[in-house]
Amino acid sequence: MTAYLILHGWQNHRPADHWQHWLADRLTELGHQVIYPQLPDPDDPSLEVWLTELSRHLAAGPDVVVAHSASAVLWLHAVARGMPGVGDVERVLLVAPPAASVLAGYPEVAEFLAPPLDFTLPGPTLLVAGDDDPYCPGGARAAYGDPLGIPTQLLPGAAHLDLDAGYGSWPSVLEWCLDPEAEFRVR
């Protein structure tokens, strides 16, 4: 049994048809331990509050973290600050982190701007993003993958990998959770 922590992004109230909810349900059905919390005030989040919540969930000892959008950047803040537990996670999937220019344009999430990317991630980390993500106009590889030196998979036409882009069920994210060598595919 593997323990998974799934973290949602800004304005995500964990709708049942979102791929993260779908993933949590599939992993649970397979007998894995899944924590998929509703983070506080998702419409007007506080970085410090979300970091406190992340710290609390890391204390449960997840093996795998799957973070989407603002929570992908949340993970980077946790690593940059040396939060206890980040080094104990076996692997991390960062999905569609928004660019600094986008975060800065919204007062509700401006404090989520990524910290300086001058640190080394403590364990295997994979970045997956759409090659046309409107929330990362310069591209996720340039904004995060290259500066952090992590593998990046860009999915053609996948936008922000959210419900608006058609990501309800997403079988390849489940496949990666079960086998880190699995390749990501569009829907």
Side-chain angles (χ1 to χ4, degrees):
M1 176 182 75
T2 302
Y4 294 88
L5 174 58
I6 301 173
L7 300 167
H8 65 77
W10 178 41
Q11 297 180 329
N12 187 324
H13 295 266
R14 300 179 336 129
D17 48 352
H18 191 283
W19 68 263
Q20 287 185 306
H21 207 293
W22 175 89
L23 177 63
D25 290 346
R26 298 298 84 70
L27 290 170
T28 299
E29 289 167 2
L30 292 170
H32 297 285
Q33 178 186 353
V34 178
I35 300 170
Y36 178 34
Q38 177 66 67
L39 297 171
D41 300 314
D43 293 322
D44 192 12
S46 160
L47 176 62
E48 295 306 318
V49 170
W50 278 26
L51 282 167
T52 298
E53 285 295 299
L54 175 56
S55 178
R56 187 169 67 83
H57 293 298
L58 284 174
D63 301 306
V64 178
V65 172
V66 177
H68 181 248
S69 194
S71 279
V73 181
L74 174 74
W75 182 258
L76 299 178
H77 279 280
V79 172
R81 293 179 183 200
M83 179 180 285
V86 296
D88 299 329
V89 174
E90 293 174 11
R91 58 192 165 103
V92 176
L93 178 63
L94 302 176
V95 179
S101 61
V102 172
L103 291 168
Y106 293 94
E108 303 91 340
V109 289
E111 67 182 300
F112 279 75
L113 281 155
L117 302 178
D118 57 0
F119 53 88
T120 300
L121 292 163
T125 302
L126 177 63
L127 171 61
V128 175
D131 68 352
D132 59 344
D133 188 344
Y135 296 105
C136 198
R141 184 185 313 275
Y144 297 102
D146 291 343
L148 289 168
I150 58 174
T152 303
Q153 292 187 24
L154 298 177
L155 302 180
H160 194 55
L161 292 149
D162 56 8
L163 279 172
D164 290 341
Y167 284 82
S169 64
W170 186 16
S172 64
V173 74
L174 175 62
E175 291 166 11
W176 179 88
C177 283
L178 301 174
D179 174 7
E181 300 302 317
E183 289 291 319
F184 278 87
R185 298 178 310 281
V186 176
R187 284 186 285 294

